[in-house]
Amino acid sequence: MTGTMTGTRRDTSGFALAAGVAGAAANVLLILFFASGEAWRDVPGQLAWTGPVNDVLVAVQFAALVPVAVALGGRVAVAGVAAMAGVVVLQALLLADVLEFETQVWWVTGCFVFVFAWVLLVSRGLPRTLRRCGTVVGAGYLAGALLVWGALALPSESAGQYAVGGIGVVLGAIGWLGLPVWSLLLARGSRR
């Protein structure tokens, strides 16, 4: 693909826009959820609603990415679509209280790895701004996930575990928070 989008890709710009808007809203709620301490409360507080609404918006975000992945095509689209569908199903199971968060988070994180790998790989064929953004988003999340998982193998509560895990969280957050930006850039680029 050169710098222009085909008609099929142009038709999915609304889905890319929806993914970007839903993802940005989900990120704001996620930050509120953690910044307010709701994530660690035994008794729900005033901002407890931010967690479940974030979960709904994440499902919307990843559902909206499915037609984008199909339109962008390529060999990695199958893995990307399957992982995106997995995120949507796992979010629905969490919201329906079929899965506990402690179980769901491991499965959904595995799906996220495949989605971010898809972003990294598919971005290689996109125009420069999208390629750069997709590289930061995909590589950031993947490197962060690897470091956090590696930190779990280090002695519990050691300085090494905190250092490696902390760097992983920062890199992963850059990727996670950047995904809606990539989607919005893709929507803007596909309208040209």
Side-chain angles (χ1 to χ4, degrees):
M1 180 171 107
T2 60
T4 60
M5 300 286 197
T6 65
T8 304
R9 291 185 180 117
R10 198 171 293 118
D11 294 343
T12 62
S13 66
F15 289 105
L17 179 62
V21 170
N27 284 348
V28 168
L29 293 178
L30 185 66
I31 291 166
L32 279 173
F33 185 71
F34 281 97
S36 69
E38 286 294 338
W40 299 281
R41 292 179 197 240
D42 292 332
V43 177
Q46 290 183 341
L47 293 176
W49 61 271
T50 58
V53 175
N54 165 270
D55 294 332
V56 169
L57 290 171
V58 167
V60 169
Q61 175 187 15
F62 284 84
L65 280 175
V66 169
V68 174
V70 171
L72 289 173
R75 289 177 275 182
V76 295
V78 173
V81 167
M84 292 167 201
V87 170
V88 173
V89 168
L90 288 164
Q91 291 297 102
L93 292 173
L94 177 67
L95 288 162
D97 288 326
V98 173
L99 284 178
E100 293 291 324
F101 174 78
E102 292 77 13
T103 302
Q104 185 261 9
V105 69
W106 294 103
W107 291 100
V108 81
T109 302
C111 291
F112 292 151
V113 166
F114 284 98
V115 172
F116 282 89
W118 168 79
V119 169
L120 179 63
L121 293 172
V122 79
S123 292
R124 293 180 359 199
L126 296 175
R128 184 175 58 193
T129 301
L130 279 162
R131 183 174 56 248
R132 287 180 177 171
C133 184
T135 299
V136 170
V137 166
Y141 184 87
L142 294 171
L146 286 173
L147 287 171
V148 167
W149 288 337
L152 295 174
L154 297 173
S156 182
E157 298 185 28
S158 66
Q161 186 180 49
Y162 286 124
V164 172
I167 293 168
V169 166
V170 169
L171 289 174
I174 290 168
W176 182 262
L177 296 173
L179 183 59
V181 174
W182 181 82
S183 297
L184 292 170
L185 287 172
L186 187 62
R188 185 189 73 170
S190 63
R191 289 175 188 247
R192 292 181 179 176

